[in-house]
Amino acid sequence: MAFFSTGGRRTSATATASAPATEASTAVMDSAHVGDIVGALGSIGQHDTLEGRSRWQRFRMLLAVIGPGLIVMVGDNDAGGIATYAQAGQNYGMALVWTLVLLVPVLYVNQEMVVRLGAVAGVGHARLIFARFGKFWGAFSVGDLFLVNALTIVTEFIGVSLALGYFGLPKTIAVPLAAVGLFAMVAGGSFRRWERFLFGLIAVNIVLFPMAFLVHPSFATSAHGLVPSFPGGLNSTLLLLIVSIVGTTVAPWQLFFQQSNIIDKRITPRWIRYERIDLWVGIVVVMLGAVAIMAATAFGLGGTAAFGDFTDAGAVAQALHDHAGGSVGALFAILLLDASLIGANAVGLATTYALGDTLGKRHSLHWKITEAPVFYVGYAALLLIAASVSFAPDHVLGLITQGVQALAGVLLPSATVFLVLLCNDKAVLGPWVNTTRQNIVAGIIVWALVLLSLALTASVFFGHLTARTIETGFGAGAVIGLLGAGAIAVARGRAERRAAVLTAAELGGLDPGQVEELDSTRLSRAERKKILEQDRDAFRTPALDTLERPVFSPLRAGGMIALRGYLVVAVTLVVVKIVQSIGG
């Protein structure tokens, strides 16, 4: 048994699922989710703190925590991500780099909310939605996830076959081999072993940088791509690609995976600050990777007959081989294989984590197959179905590959709405609920995603819309968003006033103004920090069945139903656009 010191205390590096029992007073429902943090790069005892630790010891604790944020971000650059970024570079050069920059705050804000939910609640995203909003909205959220995730894993197997096909291995061998390997990766009953394997795959991403430098990129041209522009005009084809970039960079499965993986790693509120650092490390890695992929196709294929003629990632590898050299083509194929394996693993686990949450069954990488059969059988079945579909005719695979990222982008606003609602639920997060500033930023993100989805839908339905019309629509949408934000602020102010009146009456007829003044009393930075730290580190979400379920107001319920109806229409029109694109 291996140990390392975390400042005077010896901590076991092998924690089993049977150790600490789950307390009935908390929301945690799987006993494997309680105990020592056991990561690829170290361990932390369940009751360890940062008090009295040296900088070196704190750094080692950070290394032990790192994992969920890095894995979920690198999982972004999966087969679909590689294909989408390669398409952007091959068809538009570096002109769309600006989309990646704008997505950095979206990535952090969304996933940081997930970090708090996972560490504080101790239960997965799907479980929280079912518990707080009921079966109807739970089925709405999880149903979309299962469908898009299954299609995403199909694209990962397509990526595997294209990558190994470049080296001469036929699909009939490549796909089954990958499926077996992916199952073996998770079926060992050891979280640490799984995370180390993922870290090994992540290390392969280093091939991104020699691949990008071998095509002799122009830094001036790349920097020019930071300025927002719409090469060729803002039309439905370009909008579809932009939505695909959004969908592959900020996908709904990420919310479910990171929250559940944080829980599976046993990260508690005490380590949220370190998990935020983990998230930033992942964001930097994924952004550098996306830019490198764009650069490889933009500069490796620029000025050749292949430029502007993207078909699939396999064709990109071959085109790079022909025009930029065999080394560049081989490195791209290796990257595609690696990304496909990481993506399939993460997306598959996101799905089976959510399945365990939905059915109330054991779902942890700490359990062995015999201890959590539903978790592992579900994962195996998902791989089997996706691998089988990957043998479909090429035109069907083309539809899936091009569509899944755009569908994820269209469905993202809905997933983000649930995320924001949960992060404003005081019964769940207590002192960890969103601040006003976080809600403002999250609201801007949700509305921007809705406007982007609306623009794509309109451009598909009305094929002759001009770029000027679409830009005017964005402007009108921004005005509507500002007016809506103002209305929400006014309504919230009135609600707080009514609450103050009620509190004043309960306290014996105090002046409501006095109650509001007490509620708004400003504390010094040091006082606020001390109170928050004391409350936050100790707070865990109570057992969910002991909490009163929040009630949707008629306005909120109507808005959610309208959003759901719109998403059905938007998804249908995205599919129509993709079919039209395949048909020329």
Side-chain angles (χ1 to χ4, degrees):
M1 183 177 293
F3 295 88
F4 81 79
S5 173
T6 54
R9 169 172 179 162
R10 197 171 67 160
T11 303
S12 170
T14 56
T16 65
S18 59
T22 305
E23 296 181 11
S25 59
T26 66
V28 179
M29 57 183 277
D30 192 326
S31 59
H33 297 158
V34 182
D36 296 351
I37 295 174
V38 184
L41 303 178
S43 302
I44 300 175
Q46 180 181 357
H47 302 293
D48 280 349
T49 69
L50 291 171
E51 292 183 13
R53 309 297 182 183
S54 66
R55 288 185 178 181
W56 173 243
Q57 290 167 339
R58 289 171 183 250
F59 178 69
R60 293 185 68 184
M61 287 178 160
L62 172 62
L63 292 180
V65 170
I66 281 179
L70 177 61
I71 292 170
V72 75
M73 289 294 102
V74 175
D76 253 350
N77 284 354
D78 61 353
I82 299 289
T84 302
Y85 302 139
Q87 180 181 1
Q90 184 172 351
N91 288 358
Y92 300 102
M94 301 300 287
L96 295 179
V97 172
W98 61 271
T99 60
L100 299 175
V101 177
L102 292 181
L103 286 173
V104 169
V106 180
L107 273 173
Y108 181 75
V109 170
N110 273 16
Q111 297 304 128
E112 191 277 336
M113 287 191 282
V114 165
V115 167
R116 282 182 280 129
L117 282 174
V120 176
V123 295
H125 206 63
R127 171 68 175 154
L128 280 179
I129 292 174
F130 273 99
R132 303 305 288 157
F133 304 122
K135 293 182 179 179
F136 173 79
W137 295 109
F140 162 29
S141 179
V142 175
D144 289 341
L145 177 81
F146 287 163
L147 174 61
V148 176
N149 282 9
L151 294 175
T152 301
I153 297 175
V154 173
T155 68
E156 313 300 358
F157 281 116
I158 295 172
V160 168
S161 65
L162 292 175
L164 293 179
Y166 176 89
F167 296 108
L169 192 67
K171 178 189 283 192
T172 51
I173 297 177
V175 170
L177 188 64
V180 172
L182 285 167
F183 183 76
M185 194 187 304
V186 304
S190 169
F191 185 94
R192 164 170 281 174
R193 189 181 304 122
W194 167 82
E195 193 171 74
R196 283 178 173 170
F197 196 95
L198 262 292
F199 277 22
L201 290 178
I202 290 171
V204 177
N205 275 258
I206 197 71
V207 304
L208 278 164
F209 302 104
M211 180 186 70
F213 284 114
L214 283 172
V215 299
H216 309 294
S218 166
F219 292 100
T221 303
S222 301
H224 186 69
L226 296 173
V227 179
S229 64
F230 302 105
L234 190 58
N235 51 50
S236 60
T237 300
L238 181 60
L239 273 172
L240 179 63
L241 179 58
I242 292 174
V243 172
S244 297
I245 292 173
V246 173
T248 192
T249 309
V250 193
W253 69 263
Q254 295 173 250
L255 310 179
F256 290 82
F257 173 81
Q258 189 174 4
Q259 184 166 333
S260 291
N261 201 237
I262 283 171
I263 296 161
D264 212 3
K265 193 163 182 175
R266 304 163 179 165
I267 294 173
T268 59
R270 187 179 299 127
W271 309 106
I272 285 179
R273 184 163 62 92
Y274 280 4
E275 182 54 30
R276 286 169 175 159
I277 297 173
D278 175 31
L279 178 58
W280 272 118
V281 171
I283 289 173
V284 170
V285 171
V286 75
M287 287 298 148
L288 290 175
V291 172
I293 295 164
M294 280 191 187
T297 53
F299 297 107
L301 302 179
T304 71
F307 189 80
D309 189 27
F310 175 84
T311 53
D312 59 49
V316 169
Q318 189 59 51
L320 288 172
H321 174 278
D322 296 339
H323 299 289
S327 296
V328 178
L331 289 174
F332 185 88
I334 291 171
L335 179 65
L336 178 61
L337 174 62
D338 185 61
S340 301
L341 293 175
I342 295 174
N345 189 286
V347 178
L349 280 175
T351 310
T352 47
Y353 276 142
L355 180 66
D357 273 330
T358 303
L359 300 179
K361 301 294 184 180
R362 286 177 170 179
H363 50 290
S364 171
L365 292 167
H366 293 284
W367 296 113
K368 298 184 184 301
I369 295 178
T370 54
E371 296 170 318
V374 172
F375 178 66
Y376 289 105
V377 169
Y379 186 80
L382 189 62
L383 293 179
L384 179 62
I385 293 170
S388 300
V389 174
S390 71
F391 285 94
D394 288 345
H395 69 279
V396 175
L397 298 181
L399 173 64
I400 293 173
T401 301
Q402 292 189 37
V404 68
Q405 310 305 330
L407 288 174
V410 168
L411 293 171
L412 184 60
S414 170
T416 306
V417 166
F418 280 113
L419 177 60
V420 173
L421 291 176
L422 287 172
C423 283
N424 281 279
D425 191 336
K426 290 185 178 180
V428 172
L429 282 187
W432 290 97
V433 292
N434 276 3
T435 63
T436 301
R437 181 182 302 174
Q438 287 171 322
N439 280 328
I440 291 173
V441 175
I444 292 172
I445 289 171
V446 171
W447 189 240
L449 293 172
V450 169
L451 288 180
L452 188 60
S453 177
L454 279 169
L456 175 62
T457 304
S459 66
V460 173
F461 194 74
F462 304 103
H464 301 292
L465 284 181
T466 64
R468 184 62 178 271
T469 302
I470 296 174
E471 290 169 1
T472 301
F474 278 127
V479 172
I480 293 172
L482 289 173
L483 294 175
I488 291 173
V490 171
R492 185 170 183 175
R494 290 177 177 176
E496 290 176 351
R497 179 66 180 175
R498 287 195 297 269
V501 171
L502 181 61
T503 303
E506 290 176 348
L507 294 176
L510 290 179
D511 180 5
Q514 292 176 309
V515 175
E516 287 184 314
E517 184 179 350
L518 288 171
D519 288 340
S520 61
T521 300
R522 288 189 171 275
L523 300 174
S524 69
R525 187 184 183 92
E527 290 172 331
R528 185 178 298 276
K529 183 178 179 181
K530 184 176 181 179
I531 292 173
L532 283 177
E533 286 179 350
Q534 291 173 345
D535 289 345
R536 286 180 163 188
D537 285 354
F539 184 85
R540 295 303 299 271
T541 303
L544 294 177
D545 57 3
T546 66
L547 303 179
E548 184 178 349
R549 182 180 295 174
V551 179
F552 273 8
S553 67
L555 181 61
R556 177 178 287 184
M560 292 294 292
I561 292 171
L563 176 62
R564 178 58 173 169
Y566 162 70
L567 289 177
V568 172
V569 175
V571 167
T572 302
L573 291 178
V574 167
V575 172
V576 169
K577 175 59 183 175
I578 294 164
V579 173
Q580 289 175 346
S581 299
I582 293 174

